[in-house]
Amino acid sequence: QGNNENENRDRFHEDGSESMQRQNHDSQEDEVKSEIDALIEILDGITVPVRKHNHDLIDGMTPNSIMPFSTPSTLATATTIATKNKKYVTTTATNTVITKDDMVNVPILRNLTKHDLRRFYTASNGDLKTAAVRIVQSAAWRGITFPIDTRVCRIELQSGQFFQQGTDKENNPVFYFRNMCLGPWRKDVDATTFAVLHRLESAIVHWSKISPELRCTIIVVMGSPLEEMMEDDENNADDAATTAGDASTAEGEVGDENGSASAATSTAGGNSSGSNNNVKKKKRKKKSKGLTQKQRNPFFVGFNPRIDPEEDYYVHTNFLLVQRLHEVISKHYPERLSKMIVVSSKSGGWMKVFHTLSLKTHVKSQRTRDRITRIDSVAELKKYVDESELVTFVGGKALVNPEAFEI
C-alpha cells in the first residue's frame, strides 16, 4: 500500500510538471502571437518598391546607384524614394537600369506571411523595432534584386557550384555548395553571389509552398569531387576486404591507408605544402591512368558537362565571396538554416583555416554558430542524409540532377 501511495504521488508530481510546462509554452506562444500582431500593425500602410520585370543590361553604372548589397541606410533610402514617388534612376549589381517607370509600390505585407514575420522577430531577439526595420530593409532589397537577370551569372549557374537536391533525415531540403569546381574561376564575386541567390530563392519559393516553416541544410564541400571519390573508393575497398574475410591482407591495407590519412591530417594542421604534395601525387596518378567511365559522367561527379573532364579543379571562392554570402543570406533569410555541414579537405592549407576560423569569426549569432558542424569525411554525411538522397560525389547514390547545371 505504501508503494502504491508513493507511485501515485510521483505520478501526480510528473503530471503536474508536464501541465506546468504546457502552460508555460502556451503562455509564451500567446505572447509571441501578440507580438506578431503588433508587428503587423507597425508595418500596415508601409509600401516598398518592386521591379515590374527584367531589364536590358548596360555597360557601366549610373551615378547614385543603389546596389542590392548596399548598406541598410542605402536600402532605407530606396524605400523612402519609392514611397514618396520621386523620380530616380538606379542600377542593381547586375548593371540593370531601373527607373521610376520600372517600379511599382506595393504594401509590404502583401508578400509576407506570419511565418516570415516570426522569422525576423526571432532573429531580432524579440525586439519589435529591430524586427520592423529589418523587414522593411529586406523587402526593399528583395524588390530591387529579384527577379535576377541570369544572363550575368550564366557561367556560375552552369558550373553547378550551388544547387538544391534531395532532403535530409529531418525532411529539410539539402543545398550543396562546392569550394572547388572544374576549370578556372573568373573571380566575379557579384556574379557568383547572384547565381547562389537565384538558386536559393527559387528553391525556397518552391519548398515554402510545401512547408511555410521551411529550414534548409547546407553541405559545404571544401575538396574536389575526385578527392572525395578517392576517399569513398578507399572506404568501399576496406569494407569489401573485411567482408571477404582476408584478415591479414585487409589489416595491412587498412593500416597503410589509415597511416596515409593520419599523415595527411597532421600535415594539413602544420605543414600544408606536404599535404598538397600528397594530393598532387594522387591527382597525377589518376591522370596517368585516365579517368574511369563514372568519373567522366558529369552527373556522377557533379561537374559542368560543357567542360572537358580532364580539366583540373580550381578553388571558386575567396574571403570576399564568403563574407558577401554570409552578410546577404543572414540578413535577408533569417532562421532558414537548419544546419550547415562543412566537409574538410585533405589538401588542408588555407582551406582548413578558411572554414574553421573565417566562417565562425564572421558569424555573430551564437544560435547560427551552433548550427555549423565540421566533419572530416564524406562518410559522416550519412548521419544526416540518407544514402539514397545524398549525391554521388559525396558518397551517396543519387546522381546530380541536370538542373544543377542549367540556367
Side-chain angles (χ1 to χ4, degrees), residues 106-131:
V106 301
I108 191 172
L109 293 174
R110 176 180 294 181
N111 297 321
L112 293 171
T113 67
K114 285 190 175 183
H115 295 289
D116 295 324
L117 300 182
R118 184 162 185 156
R119 287 189 297 103
F120 279 96
Y121 174 78
T122 301
S124 302
N125 296 317
D127 188 310
L128 277 179
K129 181 179 178 180
T130 301

Side-chain angles (χ1 to χ4, degrees), residues 348-401:
W350 74 270
M351 286 190 289
K352 184 172 285 291
V353 176
F354 174 79
H355 68 257
T356 54
L357 297 182
S358 179
L359 188 60
K360 289 211 169 185
T361 298
H362 292 287
V363 178
K364 297 180 181 180
S365 169
Q366 185 61 48
R367 185 165 56 247
T368 301
R369 293 176 67 170
D370 291 341
R371 296 171 186 171
I372 301 175
T373 301
R374 183 180 67 84
I375 61 177
D376 295 319
S377 169
V378 293
E380 297 180 57
L381 286 174
K382 295 173 185 177
K383 298 177 184 177
Y384 309 96
V385 184
D386 191 86
E387 191 175 27
S388 63
E389 294 283 330
L390 199 63
V391 295
T392 45
F393 68 79
V394 286
K397 293 184 177 180
L399 293 178
V400 177
N401 194 314

Side-chain angles (χ1 to χ4, degrees), residues 144-164:
I144 294 173
T145 303
F146 298 103
I148 289 174
D149 191 323
T150 55
R151 289 175 293 180
V152 299
C153 54
R154 174 179 58 84
I155 295 174
E156 286 71 22
L157 288 172
Q158 291 176 336
S159 72
Q161 181 176 17
F162 182 77
F163 63 94
Q164 188 277 318

